[in-house]
Amino acid sequence: MGTSSGSNLPHQMLPPRQQLQTVLSLASSEPPHLSRSSSGIVRESPAESASSQETWPTSKSIMAKKTESGGKSVTDKVSLQDIARERVELVSERMLRLPEGYLEELKNGLKAILDGNGSQPVEEFMFLQKFVQTRSDLNSKTLVRAHRVQLEILVVIKTGIQAFLHPNINLSQTNLIEIFLHKRCRNIACQNELPADDCRCEMCANRKGFCNLCMCVICSKFDFAVNTCRWIGCDVCSHWTHTDCAIRDGEISMGVSAKSVSGMGEMLFKCRACSHTSELLGWVKDVFHHCVPNWDREALMKELDFVRRIFRGSEDTRGRKLFWKCEEIIDKIKGGLAEATAAKLILMFFQEIELDSPKSLENGEGGGMIAPQDACNRIAEVVKETLRKMEIVGEEKLRMYKKARMGLEECEREMEEKAKEVAELKMERQKKKQQIEEVERIVRLKQAEAEMFQLKANEAKMEAERLERIVKAKKEKTEEEYASNYLKQRLSEAEAEKEYLFQKLKEQESGGNGGGGEASQSVMYSKIREMLSGYNAPSPRVDPRSNQRNHFGSNP
């Protein structure tokens, strides 16, 4: 692409990034789970046909569940299949009577299919898209009478871009109709009328919906990458191609540029739109010269990787050097090289290969003798360039030395801190060891005390048992003595009572009273017999604690 490729940089292809912030996550060329052909139309599976109504129930069941909560009758409700198949004006009249909530559910149902949340999202979308694409009544006259939501759904079904359903995307009805009819770019960030820039090439004329300002010539997709080697522009027709698509389809290869004077081969890009070739080394140099200050570390590594893959198959000296240089800088960046230094190295490399270009060789070796002053000037330039390169390398070495020195000092500080921590841990360990020994000593002391108390408890228990036996023996002896004394006392009392009764009996006998005397005498005899029988009976065990006494001295 040489020096002319600077006018075709990707940042002129798409609007600036700040204008795309509201649609970056909304607009895409197609749903991620659907495959597209080169014409931008979803391919239909051979096993599917328009008459296969049995495969459609999934979409109907989804819409039936979502319409149960509405207030309208079943005949008034509209499904995605109705919008795709029935006449525009009839569906529009029915949608005018539907509440806003139902229309939102209808849009959400289509979003779910595009997101792949249905049971068969690809098949459902293919059915809807086939219905829409095979209809001949969808033109500017009929679509003008369509309901707003109906038109948005038709556009989404045809393009596969669900960003048109987003509430923040508010396109006019005219623009939606033009997008549906391929008269306006479907890229929301572009929105140019088609064909863009009134291009009359075969690509723009035959490929419906293609925009040469923002879409790839090979895959017809668009994205929002700017200031990058991801896109390659043609020097002649200004059409754009993804670098990955060009590499995959063999549009980047070795060849002889028409602008080359030496006739040496180099890496060329062949535009599929106009079949013209453009050299790639100058294009890469221009992109890096204009855009490398704005790249961060990750972006720089990606761009170097793009260049490395572009020149992987290069057979010329400069292309091979660029390939090796990209690999070298990528490895250095992974090893910690700053992106600013890496950018300086690649720009300096482009200056070096510019001095070694075939044109310079032609002026030197093939053009005859060089004037002494020119030779001195060229030598001075080479020396200056070498000195500048040495200064950059020296600065980088100094930076790396300082970084290594700082790392060493940091390591030494960490080692000192670790040594302090080790000493503290040793002291803590010794302290813990002393505490453990003290606890063990206390435990041994407590164990000895426990054994002593256990021994004393055993002795006390034995003494208690001995005392209990003594008490029991004394108790038995006391009971026996008490019983003996009690019986002796009873016996003496009985003897006294007996003597008393005999004495009284004698007195009564001597008194000689008649019948009354006999009666009292018989009573007295009976009492004497009872007492004598009681004395002859065995004496019962007497409770020593009892205080009861029988006093025989009293008269009955």
Side-chain angles (χ1 to χ4, degrees):
M1 294 183 181
T3 57
S4 63
S5 63
S7 60
N8 295 326
L9 290 175
H11 65 273
Q12 296 182 356
M13 174 189 64
L14 295 174
R17 284 187 184 270
Q18 55 267 27
Q19 298 180 9
L20 307 181
Q21 292 177 353
T22 59
V23 293
L24 282 178
S25 61
L26 304 177
S28 61
S29 58
E30 63 184 28
H33 59 281
L34 300 176
S35 60
R36 288 182 172 268
S37 64
S38 60
S39 61
I41 301 174
V42 176
R43 296 175 180 172
E44 181 182 355
S45 173
E48 305 290 346
S49 64
S51 61
S52 301
Q53 299 298 329
E54 293 78 12
T55 61
W56 184 256
T58 305
S59 176
K60 280 189 173 182
S61 60
I62 292 176
M63 294 312 304
K65 291 179 180 178
K66 292 184 176 181
T67 56
E68 289 178 357
S69 60
K72 299 291 181 180
S73 63
V74 177
T75 56
D76 292 334
K77 294 176 181 178
V78 178
S79 65
L80 294 175
Q81 187 180 8
D82 295 335
I83 295 175
R85 299 185 65 175
E86 296 184 8
R87 293 173 54 185
V88 175
E89 58 272 14
L90 296 179
V91 176
S92 177
E93 291 178 1
R94 292 165 59 186
M95 295 182 71
L96 288 173
R97 297 191 294 269
L98 294 174
E100 291 294 331
Y102 180 83
L103 297 180
E104 286 298 323
E105 290 181 357
L106 200 62
K107 293 162 69 173
N108 292 333
L110 182 55
K111 288 180 183 179
I113 295 176
L114 291 172
D115 290 336
N117 295 331
S119 59
Q120 295 177 329
V122 178
E123 289 78 3
E124 292 180 44
F125 188 79
M126 287 173 60
F127 270 105
L128 292 173
Q129 195 171 59
K130 183 174 183 179
F131 292 149
V132 173
Q133 290 175 349
T134 54
R135 292 178 60 176
S136 60
D137 62 322
L138 298 179
N139 51 47
S140 58
K141 293 181 179 179
T142 58
L143 292 175
V144 171
R145 292 176 286 182
H147 189 275
R148 169 76 185 191
V149 177
Q150 177 188 8
L151 184 57
E152 291 176 352
I153 291 175
L154 288 173
V155 172
V156 172
I157 292 175
K158 190 166 186 178
T159 62
I161 304 174
Q162 63 169 301
F164 293 106
L165 299 176
H166 198 277
N168 293 337
I169 305 300
N170 189 17
L171 300 179
S172 64
Q173 187 117 346
T174 303
N175 287 353
L176 289 174
I177 294 174
E178 290 178 349
I179 292 172
F180 184 86
L181 299 176
H182 300 304
K183 294 181 180 180
R184 186 173 295 274
C185 179
R186 66 178 180 272
N187 183 357
I188 299 177
C190 180
Q191 288 289 295
N192 279 288
E193 294 184 1
L194 301 179
D197 292 342
D198 295 328
C199 181
R200 303 299 177 186
C201 71
E202 183 179 359
M203 185 73 63
C204 295
N206 296 334
R207 188 177 295 183
K208 293 182 179 181
F210 177 77
C211 176
N212 58 15
L213 298 180
C214 67
M215 296 184 186
C216 174
V217 173
I218 296 177
C219 67
S220 298
K221 297 179 182 179
F222 59 87
D223 56 46
F224 304 104
V226 295
N227 302 332
T228 176
C229 295
R230 176 181 169 85
W231 289 88
I232 302 177
C234 178
D235 288 339
V236 179
C237 65
S238 298
H239 285 46
W240 293 91
T241 306
H242 281 129
T243 301
D244 292 331
C245 295
I247 294 174
R248 183 183 64 249
D249 288 15
E251 301 296 344
I252 295 178
S253 60
M254 289 292 298
V256 180
S257 175
K259 299 179 181 179
S260 176
V261 181
S262 62
M264 297 176 61
E266 56 184 335
M267 292 301 290
L268 301 176
F269 163 70
K270 181 179 179 182
C271 178
R272 183 170 291 187
C274 63
S275 298
H276 285 85
T277 58
S278 304
E279 61 93 15
L280 291 171
L281 186 61
W283 166 72
V284 170
K285 180 174 71 68
D286 290 345
V287 172
F288 271 79
H289 178 72
H290 288 90
C291 306
V292 73
N294 301 323
W295 292 337
D296 56 13
R297 178 187 180 89
E298 183 179 357
L300 180 58
M301 290 188 66
K302 288 183 178 179
E303 299 302 323
L304 290 172
D305 183 64
F306 275 122
V307 177
R308 178 176 63 176
R309 290 194 286 123
I310 289 173
F311 288 91
R312 186 183 300 276
S314 178
E315 299 175 0
D316 65 308
T317 304
R318 297 191 304 166
R320 295 302 298 173
K321 286 183 178 180
L322 180 57
F323 171 76
W324 293 329
K325 193 67 177 179
C326 289
E327 286 193 333
E328 177 186 349
I329 296 177
I330 289 175
D331 293 338
K332 287 184 177 181
I333 293 176
K334 292 180 179 179
L337 182 66
E339 55 267 24
T341 306
K344 290 181 181 178
L345 292 177
I346 191 66
L347 292 177
M348 190 169 60
F349 173 79
F350 284 126
Q351 294 178 359
E352 291 177 359
I353 61 175
E354 186 70 23
L355 295 175
D356 297 336
S357 63
K359 189 177 293 185
S360 300
L361 294 175
E362 291 168 4
N363 293 336
E365 298 177 2
M369 297 296 294
I370 303 176
Q373 187 63 32
D374 294 339
C376 291
N377 292 337
R378 292 184 61 183
I379 292 172
E381 290 178 359
V382 172
V383 172
K384 288 180 181 179
E385 190 67 28
T386 303
L387 290 175
R388 186 169 63 179
K389 183 176 180 180
M390 291 176 64
E391 289 177 357
I392 294 176
V393 174
E395 292 176 358
E396 180 62 22
K397 294 291 185 182
L398 181 60
R399 188 189 68 81
M400 294 178 66
Y401 171 76
K402 291 180 178 179
K403 185 177 179 181
R405 184 63 183 174
M406 292 175 62
L408 179 61
E409 293 176 354
E410 181 69 20
C411 183
E412 290 177 351
R413 286 196 298 271
E414 290 182 358
M415 289 181 64
E416 292 177 357
E417 293 177 357
K418 295 296 183 183
K420 292 180 180 179
E421 292 179 0
V422 169
E424 292 176 357
L425 289 174
K426 286 183 178 179
M427 293 178 62
E428 187 71 19
R429 182 181 178 184
Q430 187 68 21
K431 186 177 179 181
K432 295 292 184 183
K433 186 176 180 181
Q434 293 177 357
Q435 292 178 354
I436 291 172
E437 291 177 353
E438 181 68 19
V439 171
E440 289 178 350
R441 187 181 66 80
I442 294 173
V443 168
R444 289 194 297 270
L445 180 60
K446 294 298 181 181
Q447 286 179 349
E449 290 179 355
E451 292 175 356
M452 181 184 67
F453 287 135
Q454 184 66 37
L455 181 61
K456 289 184 178 181
N458 294 337
E459 293 176 353
K461 184 178 179 180
M462 293 173 64
E463 183 67 18
E465 292 176 352
R466 186 180 68 80
L467 293 175
E468 185 178 359
R469 288 194 298 271
I470 293 173
V471 169
K472 186 176 181 181
K474 287 184 177 182
K475 182 180 178 181
E476 291 177 352
K477 184 178 181 181
T478 302
E479 289 178 352
E480 290 177 357
E481 290 178 353
Y482 181 82
S484 176
N485 294 333
Y486 177 76
L487 291 175
K488 287 178 181 182
Q489 184 180 0
R490 288 288 304 273
L491 184 59
S492 61
E493 289 178 356
E495 289 291 337
E497 185 72 18
K498 179 180 178 183
E499 185 67 27
Y500 172 76
L501 290 175
F502 275 116
Q503 186 68 30
K504 196 166 185 178
L505 181 61
K506 287 178 179 184
E507 290 177 359
Q508 287 178 359
E509 288 178 354
S510 62
N513 294 334
E518 292 178 0
S520 60
Q521 187 177 1
S522 63
V523 171
M524 183 67 67
Y525 285 149
S526 63
K527 284 186 177 182
I528 292 171
R529 281 194 298 270
E530 288 177 2
M531 290 178 61
L532 292 175
S533 63
Y535 291 145
N536 295 327
S539 164
R541 186 176 184 85
V542 179
D543 187 0
R545 290 172 296 180
S546 176
N547 294 324
Q548 295 179 358
R549 299 287 187 272
N550 290 326
H551 303 283
F552 296 99
S554 61
N555 291 322

